[in-house]
Amino acid sequence: KAGVTQTPRYLIKTRGQQVTLSCSPISGHRSVSWYQQTPGQGLQFLFEYFSETQRNKGNFPGRFSGRQFSNSRSEMNVSTLELGDSALYLCASTLGGSNTEAFFGQGTRLTVV
Amino acid sequence: GQNIDQPTEMTATEGAIVQINCTYQTSGFNGLFWYQQHAGEAPTFLSYNVLDGLEEKGRFSSFLSRSKGYSYLLLKELQMKDSASYLCAFGNSGAGSYQLTFGKGTKLSVIP
């Protein structure tokens, strides 16, 4: 079966702009989580959606938001981009149970200039 | 609070055995995961421990001690392709959600 698909793979944006990233989970998976990965901080949890509802949110400012559609596809949005938002953004899908493995997409490499 | 620590870098020789340690502190715990991430690629699942003890999967084994907040990943018969970052993460399901808290990863270099 198809894996987790993230688009676009690469993005370059200017400070102050906003960006939308997309994630299509594995078919049948209803939980989608987003993570930010930087060399200094590693993988940090942004938020998790299940059946179109945000169930949990990490410690990120309100500029970071997301949503999930009825087909489980998810988007995350970052507004008023800052240089420090440059990172690899990873999406992970799971069936939803806490003891299940997460399948990661290839990520979107965002560069803010 | 929540915390998870693992060594930043390790180097080992092809054919050898290497153990990557991970210590964690959390109030809500639903298991310990290990992921492998090659440079420029997505993390891929290696193992999951929820009970104390050793889980073996081919050349890879993972151990968990919940009372000590300690886990390790053991890689045997190292191959050059094992050069990657190894991420330790604990799962928690606060408020019914699914969340992984990751360590910063251990970059393993396998040398000939």
Side-chain angles (χ1 to χ4, degrees), chain A residues 35-55:
Chain A
Y35 294 84
Q36 181 195 66
Q37 187 173 32
T38 58
Q41 297 299 318
L43 269 148
Q44 293 187 290
F45 173 77
L46 281 157
F47 27 66
E48 188 243 1
Y49 286 88
F50 183 86
S51 294
E52 302 179 66
T53 301
Q54 186 183 90
R55 295 199 295 189

Side-chain angles (χ1 to χ4, degrees), chain B residues 2 11 23 25 32 38 40 53 70 97 104 112:
Chain B
Q2 298 186 118
T11 301
T23 57
Q25 289 179 306
L32 198 291
H38 285 98
Y70 168 69
S97 73
K104 294 186 180 179

Side-chain angles (χ1 to χ4, degrees), chain B residues 64-109:
Chain B
L64 176 66
S65 169
R66 294 180 67 138
S67 61
K68 295 181 180 176
Y70 168 69
S71 174
Y72 68 72
L73 180 70
L74 194 70
L75 293 77
K76 303 175 190 173
E77 300 168 17
L78 280 172
Q79 302 175 10
M80 299 299 290
K81 67 178 182 179
D82 296 330
S83 293
S85 285
Y86 291 85
L87 309 172
C88 169
F90 59 75
N92 51 35
S93 57
S97 73
Y98 182 93
Q99 175 181 341
L100 293 174
T101 300
F102 283 88
K104 294 186 180 179
T106 299
K107 184 177 178 182
L108 175 65
S109 298

Side-chain angles (χ1 to χ4, degrees), chain B residues 16-89:
Chain B
I17 298 173
V18 71
Q19 178 174 312
I20 302 174
N21 295 325
C22 171
T23 57
Y24 66 89
Q25 289 179 306
T26 180
S27 54
F29 179 83
N30 277 315
L32 198 291
F33 295 83
W34 284 94
Y35 283 82
Q36 179 191 60
Q37 186 177 26
H38 285 98
E41 297 184 13
T44 54
F45 171 80
L46 287 177
S47 70
Y48 171 69
N49 295 67
V50 65
L51 300 175
D52 286 2
L54 189 68
E55 293 280 342
E56 296 186 77
K57 256 189 185 184
R59 294 190 300 115
F60 293 5
S61 303
S62 57
F63 171 84
L64 176 66
S65 169
R66 294 180 67 138
S67 61
K68 295 181 180 176
Y70 168 69
S71 174
Y72 68 72
L73 180 70
L74 194 70
L75 293 77
K76 303 175 190 173
E77 300 168 17
L78 280 172
Q79 302 175 10
M80 299 299 290
K81 67 178 182 179
D82 296 330
S83 293
S85 285
Y86 291 85
L87 309 172
C88 169

